[in-house]
Amino acid sequence: MITAAPDPLRRRRSSVLASIFFAPMGQATVRDLQRELETVHNIAASRDAVRADLSWLQEVGLLRVLDDTAQITERGRDVARNTAPWPGE
């Protein structure tokens, strides 16, 4: 079976979620996430793009965002661990 490669937006959002999952206390700032996307995941992203991803991830219940800091929810942990489906699947 041939599967399509994940689209760049989904890949970036998955990377953001994984980064927060592994961050101390399950939270990270926009600046830290942007740096990790570029250095660890090799994904170029502006801070505005990271903020937009955080907003979407919060909207679907995977994160809580306050100012420029995001914290993973229990549902977000499940998705990051692949024990729950990605929203829309």
Side-chain angles (χ1 to χ4, degrees):
M1 180 169 118
I2 298 174
T3 58
D7 67 81
L9 183 60
R10 163 114 186 243
R11 180 171 175 251
R12 190 178 70 224
R13 287 177 174 168
S14 295
S15 297
V16 166
L17 188 63
S19 295
I20 296 170
F21 177 75
F22 289 108
M25 298 186 334
Q27 63 184 29
T29 65
V30 168
R31 185 181 56 157
D32 293 339
L33 290 168
Q34 179 196 27
R35 187 176 0 194
E36 184 157 336
L37 282 172
E38 292 176 351
T39 59
V40 175
H41 301 279
N42 198 29
I43 299 172
S46 68
R47 288 187 188 168
D48 286 340
V50 173
R51 284 184 189 99
D53 292 341
L54 294 179
S55 178
W56 185 85
L57 290 165
Q58 177 175 271
E59 187 177 307
V60 296
L62 305 182
L63 301 176
R64 282 187 289 283
V65 180
L66 180 61
D67 297 323
D68 263 4
T69 302
Q71 184 173 28
I72 198 164
T73 63
E74 202 57 43
R75 171 90 174 127
R77 288 181 197 285
D78 292 342
V79 171
R81 282 188 229 137
N82 289 323
T83 59
W86 186 259
E89 287 186 349

